[in-house]
């Protein structure tokens, strides 16, 4: 079950995301008819402009436990939302809901350009997949796990889940 862990507080969270490990990974995924849109993998509310949600893969590029980067799939209101695209291994994708978070709000904030990139600024906590500046506003975190297949991302058993 890719939805094996749901956590109510940031202190119970573990980690999340990758997509563009190699040049052209985004375009290859978009041309694969088996790859669905972001909401098909992370839930229908993921792209809602009424909610403050982030989705990150903390296992980029090689999957758990070898991934050393965090890839940002969705970063708040009006950001794009990218489906999972793990190149290898099982990746943990953390979807976090925030009650408020000025860093994720609005049409034109810096956050609208984060999705689709590796977090080189250390904005997200790698052990929990949460935006560090807004940890105090977390309402809920969900963990999804996916691995690659010839037809697109498929669920895998999340490390640490029963």
């Amino acid at each position: 079950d890719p939805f094996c862990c749901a956590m109510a507080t940031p202190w119970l969270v573990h980690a999340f995301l990758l997509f563009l490990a190699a040049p052209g990974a985004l375009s290859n995924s978009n041309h694969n008819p088996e790859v669905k849109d972001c909401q098909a993998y992370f839930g229908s509310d993921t792209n809602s402009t009424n909610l403050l949600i982030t989705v990150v893969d903390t296992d980029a590029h090689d999957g758990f436990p070898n991934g050393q980067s965090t890839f940002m799939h969705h970063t708040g209101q009006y950001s794009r939302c990218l489906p999972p695209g793990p190149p290898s291994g099982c990746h943990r994708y953390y979807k976090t809901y925030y009650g408020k978070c000025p860093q994720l709000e609005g049409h034109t904030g810096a956050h609208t350009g984060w999705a689709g990139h590796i977090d080189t600024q250390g904005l997200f906590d790698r052990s929990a997949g949460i935006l560090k500046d807004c940890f105090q506003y977390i309402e809920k975190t969900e963990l999804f796990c996916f691995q690659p297949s010839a037809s697109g991302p498929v669920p895998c058993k999340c490390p640490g889940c029963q």
Side-chain angles (χ1 to χ4, degrees), residues 43-59:
S44 61
D45 64 350
T46 304
N47 233 8
S48 171
T49 57
N50 295 323
L51 297 172
L52 298 174
I53 295 173
T54 58
V55 178
V56 298
D57 171 1
T58 60
D59 296 322

mmCIF file with all atom_site columns, all heavy atoms in Angstrom, residues 43-59:
data_model
loop_
_atom_site.group_PDB
_atom_site.id
_atom_site.type_symbol
_atom_site.label_atom_id
_atom_site.label_alt_id
_atom_site.label_comp_id
_atom_site.label_asym_id
_atom_site.label_entity_id
_atom_site.label_seq_id
_atom_site.pdbx_PDB_ins_code
_atom_site.Cartn_x
_atom_site.Cartn_y
_atom_site.Cartn_z
_atom_site.occupancy
_atom_site.B_iso_or_equiv
_atom_site.pdbx_formal_charge
_atom_site.auth_seq_id
_atom_site.auth_comp_id
_atom_site.auth_asym_id
_atom_site.auth_atom_id
_atom_site.pdbx_PDB_model_num
ATOM 1   N N   . GLY A 1 43 ? -3.215  12.480 -4.600  1.00 0.00 ? 43 GLY A N   1
ATOM 2   C CA  . GLY A 1 43 ? -4.536  12.847 -4.108  1.00 0.00 ? 43 GLY A CA  1
ATOM 3   C C   . GLY A 1 43 ? -5.132  14.033 -4.847  1.00 0.00 ? 43 GLY A C   1
ATOM 4   O O   . GLY A 1 43 ? -4.419  14.932 -5.297  1.00 0.00 ? 43 GLY A O   1
ATOM 5   N N   . SER A 1 44 ? -6.448  14.033 -4.957  1.00 0.00 ? 44 SER A N   1
ATOM 6   C CA  . SER A 1 44 ? -7.158  15.044 -5.746  1.00 0.00 ? 44 SER A CA  1
ATOM 7   C C   . SER A 1 44 ? -7.036  16.450 -5.177  1.00 0.00 ? 44 SER A C   1
ATOM 8   O O   . SER A 1 44 ? -7.210  17.426 -5.901  1.00 0.00 ? 44 SER A O   1
ATOM 9   C CB  . SER A 1 44 ? -8.635  14.670 -5.881  1.00 0.00 ? 44 SER A CB  1
ATOM 10  O OG  . SER A 1 44 ? -9.240  14.615 -4.599  1.00 0.00 ? 44 SER A OG  1
ATOM 11  N N   . ASP A 1 45 ? -6.716  16.584 -3.901  1.00 0.00 ? 45 ASP A N   1
ATOM 12  C CA  . ASP A 1 45 ? -6.607  17.921 -3.293  1.00 0.00 ? 45 ASP A CA  1
ATOM 13  C C   . ASP A 1 45 ? -5.218  18.543 -3.447  1.00 0.00 ? 45 ASP A C   1
ATOM 14  O O   . ASP A 1 45 ? -5.008  19.705 -3.105  1.00 0.00 ? 45 ASP A O   1
ATOM 15  C CB  . ASP A 1 45 ? -6.978  17.877 -1.815  1.00 0.00 ? 45 ASP A CB  1
ATOM 16  C CG  . ASP A 1 45 ? -6.029  17.016 -0.982  1.00 0.00 ? 45 ASP A CG  1
ATOM 17  O OD1 . ASP A 1 45 ? -5.177  16.291 -1.561  1.00 0.00 ? 45 ASP A OD1 1
ATOM 18  O OD2 . ASP A 1 45 ? -6.152  17.047 0.250   1.00 0.00 ? 45 ASP A OD2 1
ATOM 19  N N   . THR A 1 46 ? -4.274  17.803 -3.990  1.00 0.00 ? 46 THR A N   1
ATOM 20  C CA  . THR A 1 46 ? -2.884  18.257 -4.018  1.00 0.00 ? 46 THR A CA  1
ATOM 21  C C   . THR A 1 46 ? -2.712  19.607 -4.705  1.00 0.00 ? 46 THR A C   1
ATOM 22  O O   . THR A 1 46 ? -1.952  20.443 -4.239  1.00 0.00 ? 46 THR A O   1
ATOM 23  C CB  . THR A 1 46 ? -1.975  17.211 -4.682  1.00 0.00 ? 46 THR A CB  1
ATOM 24  O OG1 . THR A 1 46 ? -2.135  15.977 -3.988  1.00 0.00 ? 46 THR A OG1 1
ATOM 25  C CG2 . THR A 1 46 ? -0.522  17.617 -4.613  1.00 0.00 ? 46 THR A CG2 1
ATOM 26  N N   . ASN A 1 47 ? -3.400  19.849 -5.782  1.00 0.00 ? 47 ASN A N   1
ATOM 27  C CA  . ASN A 1 47 ? -3.227  21.087 -6.541  1.00 0.00 ? 47 ASN A CA  1
ATOM 28  C C   . ASN A 1 47 ? -4.241  22.161 -6.161  1.00 0.00 ? 47 ASN A C   1
ATOM 29  O O   . ASN A 1 47 ? -4.327  23.189 -6.827  1.00 0.00 ? 47 ASN A O   1
ATOM 30  C CB  . ASN A 1 47 ? -3.312  20.802 -8.043  1.00 0.00 ? 47 ASN A CB  1
ATOM 31  C CG  . ASN A 1 47 ? -2.130  21.344 -8.798  1.00 0.00 ? 47 ASN A CG  1
ATOM 32  O OD1 . ASN A 1 47 ? -1.168  21.814 -8.217  1.00 0.00 ? 47 ASN A OD1 1
ATOM 33  N ND2 . ASN A 1 47 ? -2.208  21.280 -10.108 1.00 0.00 ? 47 ASN A ND2 1
ATOM 34  N N   . SER A 1 48 ? -4.980  21.962 -5.090  1.00 0.00 ? 48 SER A N   1
ATOM 35  C CA  . SER A 1 48 ? -5.977  22.945 -4.661  1.00 0.00 ? 48 SER A CA  1
ATOM 36  C C   . SER A 1 48 ? -5.310  24.260 -4.269  1.00 0.00 ? 48 SER A C   1
ATOM 37  O O   . SER A 1 48 ? -4.333  24.277 -3.527  1.00 0.00 ? 48 SER A O   1
ATOM 38  C CB  . SER A 1 48 ? -6.765  22.411 -3.468  1.00 0.00 ? 48 SER A CB  1
ATOM 39  O OG  . SER A 1 48 ? -7.586  23.418 -2.925  1.00 0.00 ? 48 SER A OG  1
ATOM 40  N N   . THR A 1 49 ? -5.850  25.371 -4.759  1.00 0.00 ? 49 THR A N   1
ATOM 41  C CA  . THR A 1 49 ? -5.315  26.676 -4.375  1.00 0.00 ? 49 THR A CA  1
ATOM 42  C C   . THR A 1 49 ? -5.890  27.143 -3.043  1.00 0.00 ? 49 THR A C   1
ATOM 43  O O   . THR A 1 49 ? -5.487  28.172 -2.528  1.00 0.00 ? 49 THR A O   1
ATOM 44  C CB  . THR A 1 49 ? -5.591  27.731 -5.467  1.00 0.00 ? 49 THR A CB  1
ATOM 45  O OG1 . THR A 1 49 ? -6.992  27.790 -5.709  1.00 0.00 ? 49 THR A OG1 1
ATOM 46  C CG2 . THR A 1 49 ? -4.843  27.390 -6.742  1.00 0.00 ? 49 THR A CG2 1
ATOM 47  N N   . ASN A 1 50 ? -6.820  26.369 -2.479  1.00 0.00 ? 50 ASN A N   1
ATOM 48  C CA  . ASN A 1 50 ? -7.397  26.705 -1.174  1.00 0.00 ? 50 ASN A CA  1
ATOM 49  C C   . ASN A 1 50 ? -6.619  26.075 -0.025  1.00 0.00 ? 50 ASN A C   1
ATOM 50  O O   . ASN A 1 50 ? -6.885  26.385 1.137   1.00 0.00 ? 50 ASN A O   1
ATOM 51  C CB  . ASN A 1 50 ? -8.855  26.247 -1.100  1.00 0.00 ? 50 ASN A CB  1
ATOM 52  C CG  . ASN A 1 50 ? -9.728  26.986 -2.079  1.00 0.00 ? 50 ASN A CG  1
ATOM 53  O OD1 . ASN A 1 50 ? -9.543  28.171 -2.324  1.00 0.00 ? 50 ASN A OD1 1
ATOM 54  N ND2 . ASN A 1 50 ? -10.676 26.272 -2.659  1.00 0.00 ? 50 ASN A ND2 1
ATOM 55  N N   . LEU A 1 51 ? -5.699  25.174 -0.339  1.00 0.00 ? 51 LEU A N   1
ATOM 56  C CA  . LEU A 1 51 ? -4.930  24.470 0.685   1.00 0.00 ? 51 LEU A CA  1
ATOM 57  C C   . LEU A 1 51 ? -3.448  24.774 0.529   1.00 0.00 ? 51 LEU A C   1
ATOM 58  O O   . LEU A 1 51 ? -2.973  25.056 -0.573  1.00 0.00 ? 51 LEU A O   1
ATOM 59  C CB  . LEU A 1 51 ? -5.142  22.955 0.559   1.00 0.00 ? 51 LEU A CB  1
ATOM 60  C CG  . LEU A 1 51 ? -6.559  22.444 0.771   1.00 0.00 ? 51 LEU A CG  1
ATOM 61  C CD1 . LEU A 1 51 ? -6.649  20.965 0.425   1.00 0.00 ? 51 LEU A CD1 1
ATOM 62  C CD2 . LEU A 1 51 ? -7.004  22.691 2.204   1.00 0.00 ? 51 LEU A CD2 1
ATOM 63  N N   . LEU A 1 52 ? -2.725  24.688 1.633   1.00 0.00 ? 52 LEU A N   1
ATOM 64  C CA  . LEU A 1 52 ? -1.269  24.852 1.616   1.00 0.00 ? 52 LEU A CA  1
ATOM 65  C C   . LEU A 1 52 ? -0.657  23.464 1.757   1.00 0.00 ? 52 LEU A C   1
ATOM 66  O O   . LEU A 1 52 ? -0.662  22.872 2.842   1.00 0.00 ? 52 LEU A O   1
ATOM 67  C CB  . LEU A 1 52 ? -0.823  25.769 2.738   1.00 0.00 ? 52 LEU A CB  1
ATOM 68  C CG  . LEU A 1 52 ? -1.372  27.196 2.663   1.00 0.00 ? 52 LEU A CG  1
ATOM 69  C CD1 . LEU A 1 52 ? -0.988  27.977 3.909   1.00 0.00 ? 52 LEU A CD1 1
ATOM 70  C CD2 . LEU A 1 52 ? -0.886  27.889 1.412   1.00 0.00 ? 52 LEU A CD2 1
ATOM 71  N N   . ILE A 1 53 ? -0.144  22.940 0.645   1.00 0.00 ? 53 ILE A N   1
ATOM 72  C CA  . ILE A 1 53 ? 0.369   21.571 0.580   1.00 0.00 ? 53 ILE A CA  1
ATOM 73  C C   . ILE A 1 53 ? 1.728   21.572 -0.110  1.00 0.00 ? 53 ILE A C   1
ATOM 74  O O   . ILE A 1 53 ? 1.933   22.282 -1.088  1.00 0.00 ? 53 ILE A O   1
ATOM 75  C CB  . ILE A 1 53 ? -0.601  20.666 -0.218  1.00 0.00 ? 53 ILE A CB  1
ATOM 76  C CG1 . ILE A 1 53 ? -1.941  20.537 0.521   1.00 0.00 ? 53 ILE A CG1 1
ATOM 77  C CG2 . ILE A 1 53 ? 0.004   19.286 -0.471  1.00 0.00 ? 53 ILE A CG2 1
ATOM 78  C CD1 . ILE A 1 53 ? -3.007  19.800 -0.265  1.00 0.00 ? 53 ILE A CD1 1
ATOM 79  N N   . THR A 1 54 ? 2.635   20.755 0.421   1.00 0.00 ? 54 THR A N   1
ATOM 80  C CA  . THR A 1 54 ? 3.887   20.486 -0.274  1.00 0.00 ? 54 THR A CA  1
ATOM 81  C C   . THR A 1 54 ? 4.009   18.980 -0.487  1.00 0.00 ? 54 THR A C   1
ATOM 82  O O   . THR A 1 54 ? 3.483   18.189 0.298   1.00 0.00 ? 54 THR A O   1
ATOM 83  C CB  . THR A 1 54 ? 5.125   20.981 0.502   1.00 0.00 ? 54 THR A CB  1
ATOM 84  O OG1 . THR A 1 54 ? 5.164   20.353 1.792   1.00 0.00 ? 54 THR A OG1 1
ATOM 85  C CG2 . THR A 1 54 ? 5.103   22.498 0.665   1.00 0.00 ? 54 THR A CG2 1
ATOM 86  N N   . VAL A 1 55 ? 4.700   18.608 -1.553  1.00 0.00 ? 55 VAL A N   1
ATOM 87  C CA  . VAL A 1 55 ? 5.033   17.211 -1.827  1.00 0.00 ? 55 VAL A CA  1
ATOM 88  C C   . VAL A 1 55 ? 6.506   17.183 -2.216  1.00 0.00 ? 55 VAL A C   1
ATOM 89  O O   . VAL A 1 55 ? 6.913   17.862 -3.159  1.00 0.00 ? 55 VAL A O   1
ATOM 90  C CB  . VAL A 1 55 ? 4.172   16.621 -2.967  1.00 0.00 ? 55 VAL A CB  1
ATOM 91  C CG1 . VAL A 1 55 ? 4.593   15.182 -3.256  1.00 0.00 ? 55 VAL A CG1 1
ATOM 92  C CG2 . VAL A 1 55 ? 2.690   16.675 -2.624  1.00 0.00 ? 55 VAL A CG2 1
ATOM 93  N N   . VAL A 1 56 ? 7.291   16.420 -1.466  1.00 0.00 ? 56 VAL A N   1
ATOM 94  C CA  . VAL A 1 56 ? 8.720   16.315 -1.761  1.00 0.00 ? 56 VAL A CA  1
ATOM 95  C C   . VAL A 1 56 ? 9.194   14.868 -1.672  1.00 0.00 ? 56 VAL A C   1
ATOM 96  O O   . VAL A 1 56 ? 8.630   14.071 -0.931  1.00 0.00 ? 56 VAL A O   1
ATOM 97  C CB  . VAL A 1 56 ? 9.588   17.205 -0.829  1.00 0.00 ? 56 VAL A CB  1
ATOM 98  C CG1 . VAL A 1 56 ? 9.259   18.673 -0.996  1.00 0.00 ? 56 VAL A CG1 1
ATOM 99  C CG2 . VAL A 1 56 ? 9.432   16.795 0.609   1.00 0.00 ? 56 VAL A CG2 1
ATOM 100 N N   . ASP A 1 57 ? 10.218  14.541 -2.444  1.00 0.00 ? 57 ASP A N   1
ATOM 101 C CA  . ASP A 1 57 ? 10.873  13.233 -2.434  1.00 0.00 ? 57 ASP A CA  1
ATOM 102 C C   . ASP A 1 57 ? 12.230  13.419 -1.776  1.00 0.00 ? 57 ASP A C   1
ATOM 103 O O   . ASP A 1 57 ? 13.116  14.044 -2.360  1.00 0.00 ? 57 ASP A O   1
ATOM 104 C CB  . ASP A 1 57 ? 11.016  12.741 -3.874  1.00 0.00 ? 57 ASP A CB  1
ATOM 105 C CG  . ASP A 1 57 ? 11.871  11.485 -4.015  1.00 0.00 ? 57 ASP A CG  1
ATOM 106 O OD1 . ASP A 1 57 ? 12.360  10.951 -3.004  1.00 0.00 ? 57 ASP A OD1 1
ATOM 107 O OD2 . ASP A 1 57 ? 12.067  11.057 -5.161  1.00 0.00 ? 57 ASP A OD2 1
ATOM 108 N N   . THR A 1 58 ? 12.407  12.901 -0.589  1.00 0.00 ? 58 THR A N   1
ATOM 109 C CA  . THR A 1 58 ? 13.684  13.051 0.113   1.00 0.00 ? 58 THR A CA  1
ATOM 110 C C   . THR A 1 58 ? 14.688  11.956 -0.260  1.00 0.00 ? 58 THR A C   1
ATOM 111 O O   . THR A 1 58 ? 15.770  11.909 0.308   1.00 0.00 ? 58 THR A O   1
ATOM 112 C CB  . THR A 1 58 ? 13.481  13.061 1.638   1.00 0.00 ? 58 THR A CB  1
ATOM 113 O OG1 . THR A 1 58 ? 12.871  11.838 2.029   1.00 0.00 ? 58 THR A OG1 1
ATOM 114 C CG2 . THR A 1 58 ? 12.632  14.242 2.065   1.00 0.00 ? 58 THR A CG2 1
ATOM 115 N N   . ASP A 1 59 ? 14.327  11.104 -1.220  1.00 0.00 ? 59 ASP A N   1
ATOM 116 C CA  . ASP A 1 59 ? 15.202  9.999  -1.619  1.00 0.00 ? 59 ASP A CA  1
ATOM 117 C C   . ASP A 1 59 ? 15.787  10.164 -3.026  1.00 0.00 ? 59 ASP A C   1
ATOM 118 O O   . ASP A 1 59 ? 16.222  9.193  -3.650  1.00 0.00 ? 59 ASP A O   1
ATOM 119 C CB  . ASP A 1 59 ? 14.446  8.666  -1.537  1.00 0.00 ? 59 ASP A CB  1
ATOM 120 C CG  . ASP A 1 59 ? 14.038  8.330  -0.121  1.00 0.00 ? 59 ASP A CG  1
ATOM 121 O OD1 . ASP A 1 59 ? 14.824  8.597  0.802   1.00 0.00 ? 59 ASP A OD1 1
ATOM 122 O OD2 . ASP A 1 59 ? 12.930  7.800  0.071   1.00 0.00 ? 59 ASP A OD2 1
#
